Amino acid sequence: VFPENVDAFRVLVAVESQWEMPGMAGGRCAVSLIECEAAMRMLGIKRTPDLFQRLQLMIARSRSIRLRQHAEAIERGKRDRK
């Protein structure tokens, strides 16, 4: 992790268990920014526009990875049932 991204990464790790994942019928894949703000306060991290932008980029990348993994798991489940 680059030094300028450490605080955003710490927040993302702190809210790891707060992700909402889609079910079999779909749905949203997101982490609440309210949870992120609470994590920042608890970690003593100053909330700045730069940090918010870095956090949003990390969340977006993490979302795309999570959705791909979710889709792969659904496909494996379908193959296993055959």
Side-chain angles (χ1 to χ4, degrees):
V1 177
F2 291 110
E4 61 271 18
N5 292 326
V6 168
D7 284 343
F9 184 75
R10 288 178 59 211
V11 172
L12 193 60
V13 169
V15 298
E16 177 65 27
S17 65
Q18 302 302 312
W19 278 87
E20 297 176 24
M21 294 300 295
M24 294 295 285
R28 61 188 244 136
C29 175
V31 64
S32 167
L33 293 176
I34 294 169
E35 300 292 339
C36 291
E37 185 177 12
M40 287 181 221
R41 283 195 312 270
M42 296 296 291
L43 293 168
I45 295 173
K46 184 177 179 184
R47 295 178 305 275
T48 65
D50 182 64
L51 174 65
F52 181 67
Q53 184 178 30
R54 290 175 189 281
L55 183 59
Q56 284 186 308
L57 289 171
M58 286 188 181
I59 289 170
R61 181 63 181 133
S62 184
R63 178 185 302 120
S64 68
I65 292 168
R66 288 170 183 274
L67 286 172
R68 186 186 73 235
Q69 290 172 339
H70 183 71
E72 289 169 355
I74 289 173
E75 285 304 312
R76 277 192 308 275
K78 288 178 182 176
R79 284 193 306 267
D80 293 345
R81 285 192 296 268
K82 289 183 180 181

